[in-house]
Amino acid sequence: MAQPLAADSAHPPAAPALLPVQEIMATHPEHRRLPHAAEYESGAAYVIDGFQPLDRAGVPIADLGFNRGDAVYDVVSVSRGSFFRLDDHQRRFAASCARMRLTNPFSAAEERAVLNRLVALAGYRDAYVWWGVTRGAMPLRSADRTDPSSFANRFFAYAIPYVFIADDERRSRGADAVVSRNFFRIPPSSVDPRAKNLNGLDFSMALFEAGDRGAEWSLLSDGAGNLTEAPGSNVFVVANGAVATPEDWCLEGITRMTALELVREFGREVEVRKVAVDELMQADEAFLTSSAGGIVPLNSVDGVVLGGGPGPGPLTRALHDRYWQKRWVGWHGTPVDYAAA
């Protein structure tokens, strides 16, 4: 395993290979799944008012979260038995509810207890934990449909094994992406991207477009030449030693916030601002950030290999490894209480 880098290293050295995170999670004893009831083998869920095995969980068909995408959600990851930045995820989720005029049936402490028990029931040491609040069913009286308080908002959650948006092999060589030509990000004046929400068809269509163009991932612009975000992830551009990430039209990602902290640890300048698509095409390095994978290097965009050579750049490599090294020693961690099962 790679050794942690010095916190004051302004120019982190390039590594011959990225930390094989997925392989470590599959083989290291500190990631081994704990004993659990057979019914929770596929995962654990919470639907409205009770816990149940994932394969028995369902959403009421008339819920507006299902048939209108009228809901907000969040995702927190667990590794080596600890939630990562759980407080930050809960704060963002509360802000998402407020922005979309939804009322969480649970307090923050109750919400945390549900998420903890889901992981404990399934015995996961590494997990992807999703939770959300939906609008609920349509009120029977049409006059009530203009009043948010007339809806019975509902809580759902589940825990499954940790999800990677890019496996070890793809991260080690860097993903090949395209900037969508056919789809732009939903404008903030239509759906506020700061609230993590279920309106993601622009992402889905852009991913299918990427596949049609022989790429592995997509990036979306605002239609005016500026980057916004990628499906499930924020984007960072590295050029001439400086680092930048889009300031708006995007989710205020928790892993994005983490990457900003790590970049500053390396003594690098980092800016949150408008980032033109052209800047990405001329970048020395670029990477995505996501709870489902951490730091994901980009190798090429629209067929242009970044930095004049294949593979992740030195800063991206260093950020990737430090992210996991620090997590695995408890950085921003909240241990799972497995006795809660």
Side-chain angles (χ1 to χ4, degrees), residues 18-191:
L18 296 184
L19 196 66
V21 177
Q22 195 170 19
E23 178 185 342
I24 291 169
M25 285 187 179
T27 60
H28 195 287
E30 290 186 40
H31 296 271
R32 189 170 298 139
R33 190 174 182 182
L34 298 177
H36 55 280
E39 62 185 340
Y40 290 107
E41 179 61 25
S42 64
Y46 187 95
V47 176
I48 303 175
D49 58 4
F51 293 92
Q52 55 191 275
L54 184 74
D55 53 12
R56 298 181 200 164
V59 177
I61 199 166
D63 194 300
L64 295 175
F66 170 73
N67 58 40
R68 284 194 179 175
D70 190 349
V72 298
Y73 75 101
D74 218 295
V75 172
V76 65
S77 63
V78 173
S79 196
R80 290 198 180 176
S82 287
F83 289 98
F84 184 62
R85 305 197 84 140
L86 180 56
D87 290 342
D88 293 314
H89 280 281
Q90 287 194 278
R91 278 192 289 269
R92 184 177 66 179
F93 182 70
S96 294
C97 287
R99 287 184 171 117
M100 295 305 184
R101 303 182 71 177
L102 289 159
T103 300
N104 189 343
F106 294 136
S107 68
E110 291 168 333
E111 175 183 280
R112 180 181 295 236
V114 169
L115 302 182
N116 183 98
R117 190 170 182 215
L118 288 172
V119 178
L121 283 169
Y124 293 133
R125 300 294 295 277
D126 298 280
Y128 175 101
V129 186
W130 185 104
W131 79 103
V133 168
T134 67
R135 190 72 61 191
M138 187 78 76
L140 294 178
R141 294 192 332 138
S142 59
D144 292 334
R145 296 177 187 177
T146 58
D147 179 6
S149 67
S150 68
F151 293 79
N153 300 161
R154 294 165 168 167
F155 186 94
F156 299 86
Y158 64 85
I160 58 175
Y162 184 76
V163 174
F164 285 92
I165 63 172
D167 60 16
D168 282 351
E169 187 274 333
R170 186 179 293 185
R171 289 197 316 279
S172 292
R173 61 173 168 77
D176 296 313
V178 295
V179 178
S180 178
R181 299 169 184 162
N182 301 331
F183 304 96
F184 302 134
R185 188 70 181 102
I186 296 172
S189 56
S190 296
V191 179

Side-chain angles (χ1 to χ4, degrees), residues 175-179 213 277-284 286 298-311:
D176 296 313
V178 295
V179 178
R213 293 168 59 186
V277 173
D278 288 346
E279 291 183 66
L280 173 63
M281 304 305 299
Q282 299 168 18
D284 300 319
L298 293 181
N299 174 61
S300 70
V301 179
D302 289 354
V304 177
V305 176
L306 303 180

Side-chain angles (χ1 to χ4, degrees), residues 235-299:
V235 59
F236 283 74
V237 173
V238 184
N240 301 317
V243 184
T245 190
E247 66 179 345
D248 54 13
W249 287 62
C250 62
L251 181 69
E252 294 172 343
I254 304 301
T255 313
R256 170 181 179 258
M257 176 174 64
T258 304
L260 290 170
E261 291 180 12
L262 294 175
V263 168
R264 292 180 180 119
E265 283 190 13
F266 289 131
R268 294 294 189 94
E269 179 185 349
V270 58
E271 298 178 313
V272 180
R273 58 171 174 78
K274 292 283 189 185
V275 180
V277 173
D278 288 346
E279 291 183 66
L280 173 63
M281 304 305 299
Q282 299 168 18
D284 300 319
E285 308 176 41
F287 58 89
L288 307 177
T289 59
S290 171
S291 290
I295 310 294
V296 180
L298 293 181
N299 174 61

